[in-house]
Amino acid sequence: MAKERPELPGLIKPNITPIEEFQNSVIRPIIKMQHELIIAFFKQNLVKRKVDFSSIKVEKKKSTIKNALQKDISFKKLLLGSILGHFSMDEYTVYLGNSSEYNRRIINIITKRLQDSIPEL
């Protein structure tokens, strides 16, 4: 099944930095497009780590999500790869110009998205 990047109107505003523009025009649409896959990756990570996510309180769930994306390097790389794999060559070139900042932003967006999607987990 072919996926198409969704349009996210209203994110590109005047007077934003080039990093914010790239984040809002490229990264956010890819993350939205990959939402179901990101959820599946996280569920599998919970199984792998033997975490009973259903039995813990919401605040603990949020911290579990945050910790998984900060401390589990292989999981973090899996998520980054699932986003970077959708870049065009031009987008990848832009990404290379400030990859650590873009990686930080990607992980922050995915963390927030997973925390907002707790009912799906």
Side-chain angles (χ1 to χ4, degrees):
M1 180 170 124
K3 290 184 180 180
E4 201 170 304
R5 283 189 202 174
E7 298 276 331
L8 301 177
L11 289 178
I12 306 301
K13 298 178 175 147
N15 302 324
I16 61 173
T17 67
I19 290 175
E20 288 173 305
E21 184 176 352
F22 185 78
Q23 169 190 290
N24 293 339
S25 65
V26 176
I27 294 171
R28 285 186 185 278
I30 292 172
I31 291 172
K32 183 175 178 95
M33 178 181 73
Q34 293 292 86
H35 177 77
E36 288 178 12
L37 186 62
I38 292 167
I39 296 290
F41 284 159
F42 187 74
K43 285 180 178 179
Q44 182 56 39
N45 187 267
L46 291 173
V47 169
K48 179 180 170 187
R49 302 275 177 225
K50 297 180 174 117
V51 176
D52 183 7
F53 203 67
S54 62
S55 68
I56 56 180
K57 296 182 190 256
V58 172
E59 286 309 311
K60 178 72 172 150
K61 288 179 180 181
K62 287 183 178 184
S63 69
T64 299
I65 291 166
K66 187 174 182 179
N67 287 336
L69 275 85
Q70 286 178 344
K71 296 178 181 171
D72 188 339
I73 303 303
S74 63
F75 181 58
K76 189 173 171 177
K77 286 181 178 181
L78 172 72
L79 292 171
L80 288 170
S82 72
I83 304 307
L84 301 182
H86 288 276
F87 284 179
S88 69
M89 199 59 213
D90 289 341
E91 291 164 347
Y92 182 64
T93 302
V94 171
Y95 164 82
L96 288 176
N98 205 343
S99 61
S100 60
E101 175 64 18
Y102 289 126
N103 287 346
R104 185 188 66 76
R105 288 172 181 255
I106 290 167
I107 294 303
N108 285 343
I109 294 167
I110 291 174
T111 300
K112 179 74 170 114
R113 191 166 188 91
L114 284 169
Q115 289 173 337
D116 291 345
S117 302
I118 286 176
E120 294 179 59
L121 303 171

